[in-house]
Amino acid sequence: MKVLKFGGTSVGTAKSIKKVKDIIANEAKSDRVIVVVSAMTQVTNKLLAASELAANGDESYKEITKEIENKHFEAIRELVVIDQQSGVIANIKVLLNQLEDILNGVYLVRELSPKTSDYIVSFGESLSSIILSKSIGAELVDSKSLISTNTEHGGATVLYDRTYKKIHEFFESSNSNVFVAPGFVASTEEGVTSTLGRGGSDFSAALYAAGSNAAELQIWTDVSGMYTADPRKVKSAFPVKFASYKEAMELSHFGAKVIYPPTILPVYKKGIPLKIKNTFAPDDQGTLITASADEGMPIKGISSIDKIALASLSGSGMIGIPGISARLFGALSRAKVNVILITQASSEHSISFAISPEDITIAVDAVQEEFAFEIQTGKINSPRVETGLSVIALVGEKMSGQVNVSGKMFNTLGSNGVNMRAIAQGSSERNISAVIEEK
């Protein structure tokens, strides 16, 4: 069994879907294949926009649903054989009518809950999976019946044991050779639609791979693998042929949007090889991710995160006092603030942490509330926040034990007039990160 995942650009148009069909046909010659698909290009964004318009009492949401309908009907006319088109259009129309009904409900009550939003955005993958399955004659899989989550809408947590059991049993009992499943969507144990959050379709594919004990997971996108740097920023960047799971996790966390961090964990735990390939250049080698993938390159990539804020908590009342870090990050956790990077001097006088600019107000309020007494008595200063920053990171499994890697990085930045606001390196030496000005 192989699992193939195709992203939004791969199923963005009828022309690109024809390329997807060729790739599937080639892989299905030698293996059973589970195909996981994203929504067609821009459909998820259109669904979110329609939701917001409806919630604000703006009837123009109907224009967006019409655009979505036309996009899918056009794909059906180009991809599905004529004598089957009416049946597929009828199936799509049933879903679109449901979408119109729920949006009308949002419009009437002027309210959009996370639960309702999950239901609305789930239509994108459901629509694309129906069209692809009918165009290639594959068995359509209901991801909502196989992937179970908790009730945290907008980015639910997967119930792994339950999900893997259902996936294994489903594919063991089926005699089909090719399956198509919508990515991103799942359901709670009560049967309520949920979603897996950002990068959810990649994550869905990884869950299918782990649950079915697949021989390989392939992520098909619009680039030929993971690059040594962002090719839009670094003209000399080139694809990495091999990477370890740990290197891939580091690179994916620090801005390599080819693959999302949650995707790697299920296949990493099961030792399933992960390939990143280009739908529009299928003969390119791409990137193979396994437990150990040494190319003789100590540094596999330079990655970055733009638009971050650096918050600092400092004060003489922090020195030698146990539990300060626990209180700080506990407060941020309760406020649901994601911390990107942490650094602390050995003097214990200050702790700095990088966060998204959107979280500044929430983070500052949470920290001030937690340390209200210490701030009032002058033992700890009010948190200080700097904006307009980025994080740049060197990543490589073989950097461990290499002399002067950090020195070269810092010397290069310094000789080019780049000031570092903070530095962080884990004990594994797999990642060296620096916070710098964004400009």
Side-chain angles (χ1 to χ4, degrees), residues 49-58 61 103-104 106-108 110-111:
S51 302
E52 290 296 330
L53 289 170
N56 291 326
D58 188 337
Y61 77 85
L103 284 171
N104 185 53
V106 171
Y107 172 78
L108 291 174
R110 305 290 199 272
E111 183 180 348

Side-chain angles (χ1 to χ4, degrees), residues 84-387:
Q84 294 181 13
Q85 286 183 10
S86 59
V88 179
I89 288 174
N91 289 339
I92 293 295
K93 193 60 182 174
V94 169
L95 283 182
L96 290 171
N97 288 340
Q98 292 174 4
L99 173 61
E100 289 170 2
D101 288 343
I102 190 67
L103 284 171
N104 185 53
V106 171
Y107 172 78
L108 291 174
V109 300
R110 305 290 199 272
E111 183 180 348
L112 180 65
S113 67
K115 181 177 177 180
T116 302
S117 182
D118 266 0
Y119 183 56
I120 291 171
V121 295
S122 74
F123 279 88
E125 280 73 14
S126 297
L127 291 166
S128 63
S129 61
I130 289 174
I131 294 173
L132 182 60
S133 66
K134 295 297 183 183
S135 68
I136 63 175
E139 180 177 347
L140 182 63
V141 179
D142 180 11
S143 292
K144 294 179 185 180
S145 68
L146 298 183
I147 300 178
S148 297
T149 70
N150 66 1
T151 57
E152 188 176 341
H153 292 282
T157 299
V158 172
L159 307 177
Y160 286 95
D161 291 342
R162 183 179 174 85
T163 295
Y164 290 161
K165 182 175 184 293
K166 289 195 289 186
I167 289 173
H168 177 76
E169 290 174 351
F170 177 85
F171 291 105
E172 281 289 306
S173 64
S174 176
N175 295 320
S176 298
N177 192 52
V178 180
F179 307 84
V180 174
F184 182 61
V185 299
S187 69
T188 67
E189 291 185 277
E190 293 74 31
V192 177
T193 298
S194 58
T195 61
L196 303 182
R198 183 170 176 264
S201 290
D202 286 4
F203 191 21
S204 297
L207 294 171
Y208 276 113
S212 63
N213 292 310
E216 186 175 83
L217 168 61
Q218 299 177 5
I219 303 291
W220 290 84
T221 181
D222 55 1
V223 292
S224 298
M226 299 183 82
Y227 277 67
T228 52
D230 188 338
R232 295 168 300 180
K233 300 176 181 177
V234 183
K235 299 301 180 185
S236 59
F238 58 89
V240 175
K241 294 179 181 178
F242 305 100
S244 69
Y245 293 120
K246 293 176 181 178
E247 288 171 332
M249 279 191 274
E250 294 281 3
L251 286 167
S252 63
H253 177 69
F254 278 91
K257 294 181 175 59
V258 175
I259 189 168
Y260 292 94
T263 306
I264 300 167
L265 188 59
V267 293
Y268 170 41
K269 286 187 172 182
K270 295 244 179 169
I272 298 170
L274 168 59
K275 276 186 182 176
I276 301 172
K277 298 276 285 178
N278 190 340
T279 303
F280 307 98
D283 294 331
D284 287 358
Q285 182 172 341
T287 300
L288 175 63
I289 300 169
T290 58
S292 177
D294 181 20
E295 284 185 281
M297 295 169 57
I299 299 172
K300 282 293 173 70
I302 303 170
S303 199
S304 63
I305 303 176
D306 295 330
K307 293 181 175 58
I308 67 128
L310 185 68
S312 300
L313 187 69
S314 63
S316 58
M318 296 170 56
I319 300 173
I321 306 299
I324 293 291
S325 296
R327 288 175 60 192
L328 171 61
F329 296 113
L332 294 171
S333 175
R334 290 190 294 275
K336 299 189 183 301
V337 174
N338 180 47
V339 177
I340 299 167
L341 174 148
I342 303 166
T343 183
Q344 180 179 19
S346 59
S347 67
E348 301 182 54
H349 183 267
S350 66
I351 303 173
S352 297
F353 52 96
I355 58 176
S356 170
E358 289 79 14
D359 290 333
I360 290 174
T361 302
I362 299 171
V364 169
D365 289 347
V367 174
Q368 286 182 327
E369 181 180 351
E370 177 65 34
F371 294 97
F373 175 75
E374 289 87 349
I375 292 172
Q376 187 177 5
T377 56
K379 293 181 178 179
I380 293 178
N381 303 318
S382 293
R384 180 171 57 88
V385 180
E386 295 178 76
T387 57

